[in-house]
Amino acid sequence: MNPDKTVKIGLIGAGAIGSFHGESIARRVHGAQLAAIADPAAEAAQRLAERLHCASATTDARQIIADPAIDAVIIATPARFHSELIVMAAEAGKAVFCEKPMALTIAEADRAIAAARAAKVPLQVGFNRRYDKAWSEAQRSVAAGALGTPQLLRSLTRDPGLADPARVPPWAIFLETLIHDFDTLRFFNPGSEVVEVYAIADALVRPDFKSRGLLDTALVSLRFDNGAMACAEANFQAAYGYDVRGEVFGSGGMIKMGDVRCSNATHFGANGINSPTTRLNTDLFHDAYTAQLAEFVETIHSGQVRGPTGEAARAALAIALACIRSVAEARPVRLTEVLPA
Ligand SMILES: NC(=O)c1ccc[n+]([C@@H]2O[C@H](COP(=O)([O-])OP(=O)(O)OC[C@H]3O[C@@H](n4cnc5c(N)ncnc54)[C@H](O)[C@@H]3O)[C@@H](O)[C@H]2O)c1
């Protein structure tokens, strides 16, 4: 594709993160145009299209996928629709950016990857943390050997609140939340794979929803094939804000990333010292969310995915599925148990 051409992007899903991605394409990412928005909630699509001056809003994603003028799609629907939409978009020759989790089963992930490969279209997945300055700096340090051999890795996510526990999909703590941490841990230990996990999880925030399958707190230990050990944890309701942190400890040193404070300003007053904290993912990772889409636009031109691929999404999904089995069966689970032989 001509590198000077403005790429036309269709947004599929105009909810919380889709709206932010639509805004990034329309206002923050160079060389891209938000050409169409699809959401079965007609008002959501229409309202976003008006706000972002996007020419087309529809209730049917297939219209966007069938439109020959559209170069690429961003899929930001609930996870259960992701893999089918990827397959449809790839078969129509569109470059695909899909939110995490890319799929809910390994078979679905394999179908999505195979469809993109067969159509020779790039497939990039929304593991935005890789694009945060601190996370990418840490990864570069690890890759350059500055930390020696990674031995202990750590990644945690504490969401700021659980607005509507009834809407949380089954096993979301692993499939939707910790899947970010699993990608991060793999990102920090390049070339190695997780071979075994042991996960515990419970409903500590909303015990009244436990009988409906909601688990809101989880802790996972992971073992990599190069011997490194890792720990991931998540909770859906941190009283103090949206808190995401990581750490790599190796034979040559340590690197830490993540800061819940909105900025490095510290307020001194009559009641002591105070630092306001971040409450929204789109505030904490504002620049990372934007950077991943800027890179996606480059990917549409080059055809080469530099960021998180479908294969990376499959690997993180396999870890999440192993954790689910670990919780269900209260035992360590090897990744080979959830992957096809
Ligand atoms: N990377 C991140 O940090 C991050 C943050 C938030 C959400 N997400 C992921 O993004 C996805 C969406 O999450 P959300 O919080 O925006 O959900 P949401 O419920 O706010 O929005 C989803 C939207 O998709 C629409 N939709 C449903 N089926 C559709 C279809 N077939 N075609 C088009 N639109 C459809 C819904 O009507 C809704 O407006 C989830 O997979 C979630 O895990 C990722």
Side-chain angles (χ1 to χ4, degrees):
M1 185 182 288
N2 173 358
D4 295 327
K5 177 182 179 273
T6 295
V7 294
K8 293 195 163 127
I9 297 186
L11 174 68
I12 301 179
I17 202 69
S19 300
F20 187 81
H21 290 333
E23 193 180 286
S24 294
I25 295 299
R27 298 188 177 150
R28 292 184 280 270
V29 172
H30 180 70
Q33 181 195 342
L34 182 64
I37 300 173
D39 196 304
E43 226 180 275
Q46 194 58 47
R47 224 180 312 120
L48 189 64
E50 277 165 25
R51 180 160 75 80
L52 299 177
H53 308 292
C54 169
S56 164
T58 170
T59 54
D60 188 354
R62 283 170 300 189
Q63 267 186 37
I64 288 186
I65 290 169
D67 183 345
I70 303 250
D71 301 300
V73 296
I74 292 175
I75 299 171
T77 67
R80 62 188 185 281
F81 302 113
H82 288 177
S83 61
E84 193 191 335
L85 286 164
I86 293 171
V87 171
M88 283 165 56
E91 285 175 353
K94 313 292 182 210
V96 180
F97 176 93
C98 182
E99 259 308 339
K100 45 56 51 171
M102 180 185 77
L104 294 173
T105 66
I106 297 294
E108 280 179 11
D110 285 340
R111 269 199 301 279
I113 292 167
R117 207 175 281 158
K120 296 192 171 57
V121 295
L123 168 59
Q124 183 180 326
V125 180
F127 289 125
N128 53 288
R129 290 180 196 177
R130 293 186 183 208
Y131 296 83
D132 180 274
K133 263 191 188 164
W135 268 254
S136 61
E137 186 180 321
Q139 200 275 344
R140 281 197 303 278
S141 283
V142 173
L147 301 185
T149 308
Q151 295 170 341
L152 286 167
L153 303 96
R154 177 176 290 271
S155 181
L156 72 83
T157 304
R158 295 185 189 148
D159 282 317
L162 195 49
D164 184 357
R167 283 196 63 217
V168 179
W171 297 107
I173 198 150
F174 296 112
L175 291 168
E176 309 252 351
T177 301
L178 278 161
I179 202 154
H180 274 300
D181 301 271
F182 302 148
D183 180 67
T184 292
L185 293 170
R186 289 187 68 254
F187 185 54
F188 289 147
N189 199 5
S192 294
E193 289 300 342
V194 171
V195 287
E196 186 180 73
V197 303
Y198 179 57
I200 54 175
D202 209 335
L204 304 184
V205 177
R206 292 299 300 262
D208 50 330
F209 273 79
K210 186 173 177 176
S211 61
R212 295 197 224 170
L214 176 66
L215 298 170
D216 51 48
T217 306
L219 180 65
V220 184
S221 62
L222 309 95
R223 187 187 290 276
F224 280 88
D225 58 8
N226 66 348
M229 297 171 216
C231 164
E233 59 157 270
N235 177 286
F236 283 165
Q237 192 151 297
Y240 56 86
Y242 183 50
D243 183 12
V244 177
R245 280 176 278 145
E247 187 179 295
V248 185
F249 171 89
S251 54
M254 175 180 73
I255 188 156
K256 289 162 87 88
M257 47 258 136
D259 187 351
V260 71
R261 289 175 301 173
C262 292
S263 72
N264 62 9
T266 309
H267 300 242
F268 296 77
N271 295 322
I273 298 173
N274 181 278
S275 291
T277 55
T278 305
R279 302 282 151 170
L280 288 177
N281 55 354
T282 46
D283 286 338
L284 188 65
F285 287 118
H286 182 283
D287 294 348
Y289 282 128
T290 308
Q292 69 177 355
L293 291 184
E295 190 173 281
F296 178 56
V297 169
E298 285 175 23
T299 294
I300 300 168
H301 287 297
S302 69
Q304 299 301 317
V305 183
R306 284 200 287 135
T309 56
E311 285 80 2
R314 180 190 192 267
L317 173 67
I319 300 170
L321 294 173
C323 289
I324 291 170
R325 188 174 296 186
S326 177
V327 170
E329 299 180 9
R331 65 174 179 91
V333 170
R334 294 194 63 82
L335 269 280
T336 48
E337 297 181 56
V338 298
L339 287 167

